[in-house]
C-alpha cells in the first residue's frame, strides 16, 4: 500500500519521463539484438541444390497453394505451370542470336532435370521371362517406364540440346550485329516486321559472305527440325488428352452454327481445295487466325460426336449423312494442320486450354509443357535467323542496284577490259566452274544435314493455361 501511495503522488510530468525512458531502453535493446544477429544473417549460406529441390517439390505437392488450404491446382497442372514459368524466366523472349548465359543454362538444365525426374516413377507392368534356380522358366511382371515417356523424354532432351547448341554456335560470329531500338535513325538497322521493341539487325554494306550465308541456312534448318519434331510431339500429346465435359457443354448443336454460314458453305462444297479455302479467309491478324482455329476444332468435335452417336443406332438411311460428316471432318482437320504449319507461334486454342486444365495425367502434362516450350523457343530462333537473312537480302539488292547504276559501268558499255562482251555471270562475279561447285556443295551440305536429322527422328515421337500462357 505504501508503494501504491508513493506512485500515486508522482506528478504527471515525471510519469511521462519514466515512460519515455522505458521506450528508449526497449528500442536500444531491440537494436542491440538486431546488431548482434546481423553478422549471423550475413553469413547465411546460399541454399543447396537439395534444399532448392525440396522447396520446388513442396510447392508442387501443395498445388501452388502455399497456405495449405486445399485450394491448389492438380499435380499435373502444377507441373505444367512449373515448366512453363521456368522456361519464361530462363529464356524470356530471345531478342538476339547468341549463346545463353552460363548461369541461366545451368539453372535450366538442373531444374528441368528435377521436373523430368518425376517421369522415372511413372511405370507400367510388363511381362518378362524369369529363370528360377531350379532351371524352370516362368513369366513374371516387372515395372518399366511408361511407353510414351520412355520414347519421348529422351527425344525431347535431344531436341533441347540441339537448340541450345544452335544458340552457342553464334558465339564467335562477327558478320552481323544488333543496334538498340533507341539508336538514331541513321544508325538503325533493318526491321523485318512491326516488332518495334526488338533490336534491329545490321550487316556489312555488301551483305554476308557466301560461306556465312550457307552457315546461317544450316542453323535455320537445324532449328526447323527441332520445331517440327516438338510440334509433332505436342500435337500427339494433346490428341491423347480427353475432351473435358465443360468444353462440350459450350458447343452449339450443329457445325453450321459454330462455323457460320459463309465458312460452312466454303468447307462443304463439292470440290474442296484447302489452299483456296485459306486464301478466301481473312487471316490478317492473330486474333482472326485463332478464331478460325477455335471454330474448326469445335466443328470437328461436333461431327465426331454425332458420328459416334449414330453408330450406336445406325440405319441404312443414316449412312449417307455419316459419310458426309466424315468427309467434312477430314477437311476441317486438314485446315487445322495447315494453320498449325503456317502459324507455328499461334497461342493455344480454347480446346487446348480446356484439355490442359482438366488433364490429370502427370506424364502427359510433362510431355505437353516440355514440347511446347521447345516449340516456342525454336520458332523464336528461326524468326531471329530470318531477321538476319532478310537484312542480308536487302543489303545484296542495294549493292547490285548501285553496281548497275554506277557511271563506270555505263562508260565501259557491255565489254570487259580485255574487249570481250560481258555476261550476267561476269557482272555478278560468277564463273561457270565456281557456280557449279557452290551449288554442288550446297546440295551436299543440305543432304548431309537431312541425313543427320532424319537419323535422329526415324521414329516419330508417339499454347496453355488460362493463367500461365507463355509464347514467343
Amino acid at each position: 500500500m505504501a508503494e501504491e501511495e508513493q506512485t500515486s503522488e508522482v506528478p504527471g510530468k515525471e510519469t511521462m519521463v519514466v515512460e519515455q525512458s522505458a521506450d528508449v531502453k526497449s528500442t536500444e535493446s531491440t537494436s542491440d539484438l538486431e546488431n548482434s544477429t546481423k553478422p549471423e544473417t550475413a553469413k547465411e549460406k546460399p541454399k543447396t541444390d537439395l534444399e532448392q529441390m525440396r522447396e520446388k517439390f513442396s510447392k508442387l505437392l501443395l498445388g501452388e497453394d502455399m497456405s495449405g488450404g486445399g485450394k491448389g491446382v492438380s499435380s499435373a497442372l502444377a507441373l505444367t505451370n512449373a515448366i512453363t514459368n521456368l522456361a519464361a524466366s530462363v529464356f524470356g523472349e530471345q531478342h538476339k542470336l547468341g549463346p545463353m548465359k552460363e548461369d541461366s543454362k545451368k539453372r535450366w538444365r538442373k531444374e528441368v532435370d528435377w521436373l523430368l525426374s518425376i517421369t522415372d516413377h511413372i511405370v507400367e507392368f510388363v511381362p518378362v521371362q524369369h529363370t528360377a534356380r531350379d532351371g524352370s522358366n516362368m513369366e513374371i511382371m516387372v515395372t518399366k517406364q511408361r511407353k510414351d515417356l520412355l520414347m519421348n523424354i529422351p527425344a525431347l532432351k535431344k531436341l533441347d540440346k540441339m537448340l541450345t547448341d544452335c544458340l552457342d554456335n553464334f558465339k564467335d560470329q562477327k558478320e552481323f550485329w544488333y543496334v538498340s531500338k533507341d539508336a538514331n535513325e541513321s544508325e538503325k538497322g533493318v526491321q523485318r516486321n512491326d516488332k518495334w521493341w526488338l533490336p534491329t539487325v545490321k550487316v556489312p554494306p555488301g551483305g554476308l559472305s557466301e560461306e556465312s550465308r550457307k552457315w546461317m541456312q544450316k542453323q535455320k534448318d537445324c532449328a526447323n527440325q527441332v520445331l517440327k519434331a516438338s510440334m509433332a510431339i505436342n500435337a500427339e500429346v494433346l490428341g491423347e488428352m480427353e475432351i473435358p465435359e465443360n468444353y462440350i457443354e459450350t458447343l452449339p448443336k450443329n457445325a453450321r452454327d459454330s462455323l457460320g454460314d459463309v465458312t460452312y458453305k466454303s468447307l462443304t462444297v463439292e470440290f474442296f481445295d484447302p489452299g483456296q479455302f485459306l486464301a478466301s479467309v481473312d487471316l490478317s491478324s492473330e486474333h482472326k487466325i485463332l478464331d478460325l482455329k477455335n471454330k474448326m476444332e469445335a466443328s470437328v468435335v461436333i461431327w465426331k460426336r454425332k458420328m459416334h452417336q449414330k453408330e450406336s443406332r445406325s440405319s441404312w438411311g443414316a449412312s449417307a449423312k455419316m459419310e458426309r460428316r466424315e468427309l467434312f471432318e477430314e477437311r476441317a482437320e486438314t485446315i487445322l494442320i495447315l494453320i498449325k504449319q503456317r502459324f507455328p507461334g499461334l497461342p493455344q486454342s480454347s480446346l487446348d486450354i480446356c484439355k490442359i486444365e482438366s488433364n490429370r495425367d502427370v506424364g502427359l502434362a510433362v510431355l505437353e509443357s516440355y514440347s511446347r516450350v521447345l516449340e516456342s523457343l525454336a520458332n523464336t530462333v528461326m524468326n531471329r535467323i530470318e531477321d538476319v537473312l532478310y537484312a542480308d537480302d536487302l543489303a545484296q539488292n542495294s549493292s547490285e542496284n548501285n553496281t548497275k547504276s554506277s557511271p563506270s559501268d555505263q562508260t565501259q558499255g557491255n565489254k570487259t577490259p580485255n574487249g570481250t562482251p560481258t555476261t550476267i555471270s561476269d557482272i555478278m562475279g560468277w564463273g561457270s566452274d565456281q557456280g557449279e561447285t557452290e551449288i554442288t556443295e550446297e546440295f551436299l551440305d543440305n543432304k548431309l544435314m537431312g541425313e543427320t536429322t532424319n537419323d535422329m527422328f526415324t521414329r516419330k515421337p508417339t499454347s496453355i493455361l488460362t493463367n500461365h500462357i507463355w509464347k514467343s
Side-chain angles (χ1 to χ4, degrees), residues 64-90:
E64 300 178 353
D65 178 21
M66 302 306 294
S67 67
K71 298 179 181 179
V73 298
S74 64
S75 300
L77 189 56
L79 267 172
T80 297
N81 291 342
I83 295 176
T84 303
N85 295 334
L86 173 62
S89 61
V90 172

Side-chain angles (χ1 to χ4, degrees), residues 305-364:
R305 284 177 56 82
K306 287 191 175 182
M307 287 189 293
H308 180 71
Q309 292 172 359
K310 293 292 182 181
E311 285 178 1
S312 59
R313 48 187 180 86
S314 59
S315 61
W316 290 102
S319 59
K321 288 185 177 181
M322 289 186 62
E323 290 179 0
R324 285 177 58 82
R325 286 171 181 163
E326 185 176 0
L327 176 63
F328 298 157
E329 182 258 335
E330 290 177 357
R331 291 178 178 179
E333 288 187 341
T334 303
I335 296 298
L336 288 173
I337 293 173
L338 293 177
I339 292 175
K340 184 74 172 176
Q341 292 175 351
R342 188 176 297 184
F343 308 100
L346 201 65
Q348 282 74 28
S349 62
S350 300
L351 178 58
D352 295 341
I353 293 174
C354 288
K355 282 184 174 182
I356 294 167
E357 283 184 332
S358 304
N359 174 53
R360 294 296 181 268
D361 191 319
V362 174
L364 293 180

Side-chain angles (χ1 to χ4, degrees), residues 117-165:
S117 65
I118 297 174
T119 60
D120 295 337
H121 305 280
I122 302 176
V123 296
E124 59 185 358
F125 284 102
V126 293
V128 295
Q129 292 294 328
H130 176 69
T131 302
R133 292 183 179 180
D134 57 357
S136 59
N137 292 328
M138 64 181 70
E139 190 178 76
I140 62 174
M141 303 296 289
V142 297
T143 58
K144 186 179 180 181
Q145 190 178 19
R146 210 169 70 185
K147 189 175 180 180
D148 57 339
L149 301 173
L150 186 63
M151 181 170 55
N152 288 327
I153 293 295
L156 289 172
K157 286 183 176 180
K158 189 174 292 186
L159 294 175
D160 188 353
K161 189 176 186 308
M162 284 179 61
L163 207 51
T164 52
D165 290 346

Side-chain angles (χ1 to χ4, degrees), residues 263-303:
T263 307
Y264 181 81
K265 290 178 181 178
S266 301
L267 189 67
T268 57
V269 294
E270 185 176 359
F271 301 101
F272 178 72
D273 184 5
Q276 185 177 0
F277 173 83
L278 289 177
S280 63
V281 180
D282 186 7
L283 303 176
S284 57
S285 66
E286 185 179 90
H287 174 74
K288 294 179 180 179
I289 299 169
L290 188 60
D291 183 60
L292 176 63
K293 183 179 180 182
N294 287 330
K295 291 179 179 178
M296 287 292 171
E297 288 182 340
S299 63
V300 168
V301 174
I302 292 171
W303 280 322

Side-chain angles (χ1 to χ4, degrees), residues 168-207:
D168 290 340
N169 292 336
F170 290 94
K171 180 179 180 180
D172 299 325
Q173 71 78 27
K174 298 178 181 178
E175 291 208 29
F176 67 89
W177 61 96
Y178 291 92
V179 181
S180 174
K181 63 180 183 298
D182 299 328
N184 298 328
E185 290 295 331
S186 58
E187 298 177 359
K188 282 188 177 181
V190 178
Q191 188 71 280
R192 185 171 62 94
N193 45 36
D194 57 351
K195 294 184 177 181
W196 53 267
W197 59 90
L198 295 177
T200 55
V201 183
K202 292 204 74 173
V203 296

